[in-house]
Amino acid sequence: MSETHSTTTPSPTPDEPRSPQQVADDVVARVLARAGTALHAGGTVHSSFDGDQLDLEERTSLRRVAGLSTELEDVTEVEYRELRLEKVVLVGVWGSSGAGSANGTLGEAEVSLRELAALAETAGSQVLEGLLQRRAKPDPGTYLGSGKAAELASVVAAVGADTVVVDGELAPSQRRALEDIVRVKVVDRTALILDIFAQHAKSREGKAQVELAQLEYLLPRLRGWGESMSRQAGGQVGGAGAGMGSRGPGETKIELDRRRIRNRMAKLRREIAAMQPARLTKRASRRRNAIPSVAIAGYTNAGKSSLLNRLTNAGVLVENALFATLDPTVRRAETVDGRVYTLADTVGFVRALPHQLVEAFRSTLEEVADADLILHVVDASHPDPEGQIAAVRHVFADIPGAMDVPEIIVLNKADLASPEAIARLRSRELHSIVVSAHSGEGITELQALIADQLPRPGVSVDVVVPYHRGDLVSRVHEHGDIDHEEHTADGTALRARVDESLAAELEAAAVRRA
C-alpha cells in the first residue's frame, strides 16, 4: 500500500474508560498501518533454489499502479495504459463467537482484518480505510445495522473509495441493501478469494474449477430488474399457439440467466470429471511402482512452494502474496538413503475457505488423502499460527481420508519467527520440526525425518540376480532397502526388502542355487 488512513476517534483522557468502539478504531488504525506486514513487507525474496521464476515475470508484466485512471483523453494511448488500483474500504464485525460472527475476540478481529487487507492487495487494490463494529451477530438486513451503514457511506464518500470489502460472507439480500446505502460496489470475503483464484489459475483444470466455484457463488446472487425484464408470450405465441388461457408473462431475464448458468455449471462438471482419469492414471502408476508420495499442504503464503523448490529444485513460482500458486505440482525426490518418492505442492488454505472452492477443487485436494505423509507447512512468524493450523485441519476434515495420513508440522520461516513463538508451537505440536526454506535452516533434518516416516518395503528377499537383469538390481536400489549386496560369479547377490510385485519378479529371475 502506498498510503493508509485510519478512523479518527477522539482520544480519551488517561482516567476515562475506553468504549469498545474506540478500542476497535484503534485496532483498525494499527491494522492499516501494518497491513503490509501481513505479506512481510519488503517484497518477494528468492533463493537460488527458486530458479528463473519466469511465471512471476509474466504475472507482473501488467501491473496495477496507484494514481492512474483508465479514462483516457486520447484513445491512441490505449496500447500503453495500466490498470488503475481499485480503492477499497474494509469492514468487519466482532463480538460473539456464535453463528453468524466470524471473529469472537478483538485479537481475532485484528488478525482477520490484516489478512483481509493482504487479500485485497493481492487482488490488486489499495486499502484506504477500515471499520470494525462490535455486535453479537451481523445485522440480517445490512450486516452492519442502519447506523453503521450510514457511517460507512460517509467514510466511502470522504476517502473516494469505489469498493467496500466485508470480512465475512454476505447473504444476497445483505449485499443489495448495503450497496443501496453506500452507493458503491460491495463484495464479501468469499468473492474476494474467488477473484484471486480466477487471476492466478493457469492450468485448464484449475480454470474450470475456479469458474465452477464462481458460478456456484453467483447463482443465488443474481440481481433482477423487476417486471420490466419479463418476456410476454401473448396471442398465438403463448403456449405454442394454444390461445386463450395460455397468455401471460413468459420467462424473465433473470430466469434466463439462471438457466444459462446452470447449463454452464453442468458442462464444467462434465469437463472436470473428464480430466480426473488422467490424474488417477498417474496415481495408479506411482502405486504400481510402489513410489511413496508426500503432500505439502498448509495455509496460504506459509512457504509451501519455497519448500518444494528447496527440496527438489522445482523452480515453481514463489511470490509474497496470498494464493500465489493454485495448480498442484508433483516432483521427484530422493531420501538420504536413495529411496525415490514424490513431493506434491497443493493449493493453500485460508480461514473460512469458501465451500464452493473446496467442492470444485476436491479432485486436486485428493492428493492430500492419497499421500503417505503430509508436510503441514506453518508460517511460524505469523501473529496467529495456531489459528492457521486449526483452519487447515478444518479443511482436512472435509477431505475423506486426509485425517488418517501421518502429519509432520513444518514450522517454516524460522529466520523471521521469534524464539518464544517457536517454543510455544513445538510444545503444542509434538511431531514438528523448525526450518527456513529461504536460508536452508533445518532442511537436512527435515529430509532425514521424511526418510524415517515414509513407509518401507515389507517383503524380504535373498536372491542372486543374473547380470543380464541389471534392471531389477537398479529397481531394488531405487525402491527397496538393501541390507547386503555382493557380486558373485553367477550374478548379484542381494538381501533386501522390496514391495510384493518386485519381489515376485526377483524370485522369477533369480539364479537357482545348488
Side-chain angles (χ1 to χ4, degrees):
M1 291 184 300
S2 59
E3 61 174 320
T4 58
H5 301 270
S6 61
T7 55
T8 56
T9 303
S11 300
T13 62
D15 297 330
E16 181 183 347
R18 308 176 72 211
S19 68
Q21 187 56 51
Q22 289 172 327
V23 174
D25 290 341
D26 287 345
V27 169
V28 174
R30 292 200 308 270
V31 167
L32 294 179
R34 297 183 299 165
T37 63
L39 296 179
H40 297 300
T44 305
V45 180
H46 293 105
S47 69
S48 58
F49 293 88
D50 292 332
D52 295 331
Q53 293 293 303
L54 299 179
D55 290 341
L56 183 60
E57 181 180 346
E58 177 185 351
R59 178 173 293 180
T60 57
S61 59
L62 180 61
R63 180 179 294 278
R64 292 178 172 87
V65 295
L68 293 182
S69 172
T70 54
E71 301 298 328
L72 301 177
E73 296 180 0
D74 184 355
V75 73
T76 61
E77 299 174 9
V78 70
E79 294 294 334
Y80 308 102
R81 69 177 179 177
E82 292 181 293
L83 301 178
R84 178 179 60 84
L85 277 172
E86 201 166 355
K87 298 179 180 179
V88 304
V89 172
L90 310 179
V91 179
V93 169
W94 69 281
S96 171
S97 58
S101 181
N103 307 300
T105 67
L106 191 57
E108 291 174 350
E110 179 178 358
V111 171
S112 185
L113 204 63
R114 286 182 63 192
E115 185 173 88
L116 188 68
L119 286 168
E121 289 176 357
T122 301
S125 62
Q126 180 184 12
V127 180
L128 299 180
E129 183 61 280
L131 291 175
L132 271 178
Q133 183 184 25
R134 181 182 183 184
R135 56 184 302 140
K137 60 181 180 180
D139 181 74
T142 60
Y143 188 78
L144 297 174
S146 57
K148 204 66 174 182
E151 180 183 341
L152 175 62
S154 63
V155 170
V156 167
V159 300
D162 44 36
T163 304
V164 170
V165 182
V166 176
D167 191 14
E169 185 169 355
L170 294 176
S173 60
Q174 288 175 322
R175 184 180 66 86
R176 289 195 297 267
L178 202 54
E179 278 187 347
D180 291 340
I181 296 174
V182 299
R183 299 295 181 181
V184 297
K185 180 175 65 176
V186 175
V187 298
D188 58 15
R189 184 186 180 93
T190 300
L192 183 61
I193 294 174
L194 290 173
D195 181 76
I196 296 172
F197 270 59
Q199 292 182 44
H200 292 178
K202 292 189 63 178
S203 68
R204 180 167 170 260
E205 184 178 12
K207 291 178 179 178
Q209 289 168 329
V210 173
E211 185 181 355
L212 176 60
Q214 286 181 310
L215 291 177
E216 287 179 344
Y217 173 80
L218 176 64
L219 185 60
R221 290 169 173 82
L222 287 179
R223 190 168 185 175
W225 297 95
E227 296 298 325
S228 61
M229 300 297 287
S230 63
R231 300 293 188 261
Q232 298 296 326
Q236 294 300 312
V237 178
M244 291 183 296
S246 64
R247 301 179 182 91
E251 187 178 41
T252 61
K253 179 64 168 61
I254 192 169
E255 290 169 345
L256 180 62
D257 291 340
R258 285 173 179 155
R259 180 160 53 83
R260 287 175 173 171
I261 288 177
R262 291 191 186 99
N263 291 340
R264 178 61 180 167
M265 289 169 60
K267 182 179 179 182
L268 287 171
R269 289 194 179 98
R270 290 194 298 269
E271 291 179 358
I272 294 172
M275 298 174 198
Q276 193 173 12
R279 191 180 299 279
L280 294 177
T281 301
K282 293 177 182 178
R283 291 177 190 164
S285 175
R286 293 198 293 266
R287 291 196 194 99
R288 186 169 55 252
N289 294 318
I291 300 177
S293 61
V294 177
I296 301 177
Y299 211 79
T300 181
N301 207 39
K304 298 183 297 298
S305 297
S306 297
L307 185 63
L308 178 69
N309 289 343
R310 172 67 69 166
L311 293 173
T312 66
N313 292 314
V316 299
L317 183 143
V318 172
E319 185 179 7
N320 188 24
L322 306 186
F323 300 112
T325 51
L326 300 180
D327 300 314
T329 304
V330 181
R331 290 292 184 269
R332 180 182 185 273
E334 286 189 12
T335 63
V336 290
D337 54 0
R339 287 180 293 149
V340 174
Y341 66 97
T342 60
L343 265 175
D345 182 19
T346 60
V347 63
F349 304 143
V350 73
R351 287 179 180 84
L353 186 68
H355 64 89
Q356 296 95 342
L357 285 174
V358 175
E359 290 299 320
F361 278 77
R362 185 165 295 278
S363 60
T364 302
L365 295 175
E366 287 173 357
E367 292 283 355
V368 176
D370 288 343
D372 297 295
L373 180 66
I374 296 175
L375 298 184
H376 182 168
V377 183
V378 180
D379 181 359
S381 65
H382 191 271
D384 183 24
E386 291 89 352
Q388 291 192 348
I389 294 174
V392 172
R393 286 175 175 164
H394 180 73
V395 179
F396 283 172
D398 292 336
I399 307 172
M403 297 297 288
D404 300 327
V405 181
E407 176 190 47
I408 297 176
I409 298 293
V410 181
L411 302 176
N412 193 25
K413 304 186 183 180
D415 51 330
L416 300 175
S418 66
E420 295 79 10
I422 291 177
R424 185 183 72 248
L425 289 169
R426 298 211 70 175
S427 66
R428 293 173 58 94
E429 301 292 340
L430 301 180
H431 201 45
S432 61
I433 186 170
V434 180
V435 305
S436 171
H438 176 65
S439 67
E441 175 187 347
I443 295 299
T444 303
E445 292 79 2
L446 175 61
Q447 291 172 325
L449 185 57
I450 292 174
D452 182 64
Q453 293 293 315
L454 284 179
R456 294 182 177 273
V459 181
S460 297
V461 293
D462 186 359
V463 295
V464 177
V465 183
Y467 287 122
H468 69 275
R469 292 305 310 268
D471 60 312
L472 292 178
V473 178
S474 176
R475 287 172 59 188
V476 174
H477 277 277
E478 191 171 3
H479 303 302
D481 287 341
I482 298 178
D483 297 327
H484 176 74
E485 181 179 13
E486 181 183 353
H487 298 290
T488 67
D490 297 324
T492 304
L494 290 175
R495 285 202 307 270
R497 292 185 303 276
V498 296
D499 63 89
E500 293 182 2
S501 60
L502 182 54
E505 292 185 60
L506 288 169
E507 293 291 348
V511 176
R512 302 303 173 187
R513 300 177 182 179

